[in-house]
Amino acid sequence: MILTAGMGLTACTSPAPVTHGEGPAAEDMSFDQLAQTDFNRTVTIAMRDNLDSLARLLEKLYRRNPREWRKTGAPDLDAAVRQGRKAIESGHTPADLQGLRDIQILSVSLDPQYQGDRVAAFVLGLADMVIQSHGGKTRFYVSDVLDARRVYNAARNVEIAAWLLASRRDEHGNLLLLANEMSDEATNLSFEREFGQLVGRLDLVANLLDENVRRVGINYMQGLLFFNFLPVR
């Protein structure tokens, strides 16, 4: 009864979720959140937002490089984007790259000799790399243990991928994929913004993971120092 009442009270007092761009995007209350600490919730929300950023990158790259989405067999751009978003959410690997994972897929996606859907390979490689750096999970609970160094390395990999995307060319000197644009006709730096948000969130999680481990020891020592007995009733 107490648990039910607590969940009902939480549902009543929690702010309503808002759509992207209008403010903080909260999640609806769910039963599994009872097994999450505040820190678990922070990492889960960061992962959700990272996958959202990757989905937006997928759509932006398809729009800038329509030849790539046509390789999917989808009837139009919207269908290709929906297909790609589902692949990101499910952790799907491109059919022609089965057996490869994370940075291996990324490397192939930026190989001039690769003839497959370069956009899907690039984005799905990034998605798998980010997820694998978090222990292969997208939601986190009290029993999960994450490695700050792996998440930090993922942030650096995103920076490297962004640089390669902007510089890697084919044998004719053409960019393998068009992304940011600065010309007399148009200026589009939205790709840089998405990459920056990805790196920022990953670095924040890495720093929080490191701090979380450190605080366990500090809190224990503070308890000894100030003789804070634990409550028994």
Side-chain angles (χ1 to χ4, degrees):
M1 292 177 61
I2 294 174
L3 178 60
T4 303
M7 291 179 66
L9 180 61
T10 302
C12 292
T13 57
S14 297
V18 294
T19 57
H20 181 74
E22 296 179 359
E27 279 190 345
D28 291 332
M29 186 66 181
S30 60
F31 188 77
D32 73 327
Q33 291 180 23
L34 295 175
Q36 294 180 315
T37 64
D38 289 347
F39 179 70
N40 296 149
R41 293 295 305 141
T42 298
V43 181
T44 297
I45 294 298
M47 175 61 76
R48 179 204 66 186
D49 290 349
N50 282 336
L51 296 182
D52 283 347
S53 281
L54 289 169
R56 287 191 293 274
L57 273 174
L58 177 89
E59 180 173 1
K60 290 175 182 294
L61 285 169
Y62 271 156
R63 290 186 182 279
R64 289 279 282 143
N65 304 272
R67 70 180 182 279
E68 300 301 324
W69 72 255
R70 294 192 177 99
K71 297 176 183 178
T72 67
D76 53 41
L77 172 63
D78 290 340
V81 170
R82 287 194 300 270
Q83 181 176 304
R85 284 177 178 269
K86 288 181 181 179
I88 291 172
E89 293 169 0
S90 64
H92 178 72
T93 300
D96 57 342
L97 299 178
Q98 291 294 324
L100 301 182
R101 301 304 302 268
D102 49 83
I103 58 175
Q104 296 173 326
I105 299 174
L106 266 179
S107 296
V108 173
S109 74
L110 295 169
D111 183 341
Q113 303 304 315
Y114 180 57
Q115 299 299 314
D117 179 355
R118 200 179 295 278
V119 167
F122 181 78
V123 174
L124 294 179
L126 278 174
D128 191 44
M129 184 268 297
V130 169
I131 292 172
Q132 291 307 313
S133 73
H134 289 70
K137 298 182 177 182
T138 58
R139 296 185 70 82
F140 306 93
Y141 303 95
V142 291
S143 60
D144 291 323
V145 178
L146 300 180
D147 188 327
R149 171 57 60 176
R150 292 182 180 180
V151 179
Y152 175 85
N153 288 347
R156 306 289 74 77
N157 284 342
V158 172
E159 291 177 332
I160 294 169
W163 182 80
L164 290 174
L165 178 67
S167 60
R168 189 62 62 86
R169 298 175 181 271
D170 62 20
E171 58 184 0
H172 303 295
N174 300 314
L175 287 170
L176 294 178
L177 288 174
L178 298 177
N180 288 320
E181 179 182 10
M182 293 187 67
S183 65
D184 295 335
E185 292 77 24
T187 299
N188 178 6
L189 299 178
S190 60
F191 294 89
E192 196 71 24
R193 183 166 62 250
E194 294 293 352
F195 281 118
Q197 289 176 350
L198 275 167
V199 171
R201 282 189 292 263
L202 289 169
D203 274 337
L204 176 60
V205 169
N207 289 334
L208 289 175
L209 282 168
D210 193 51
E211 177 68 10
N212 195 45
V213 173
R214 192 173 68 89
R215 291 304 305 178
V216 170
I218 291 176
N219 291 341
Y220 175 74
M221 293 304 298
Q222 286 177 337
L224 293 178
L225 180 62
F226 297 108
F227 299 102
N228 291 329
F229 291 109
L230 298 175
V232 295
R233 61 180 174 85

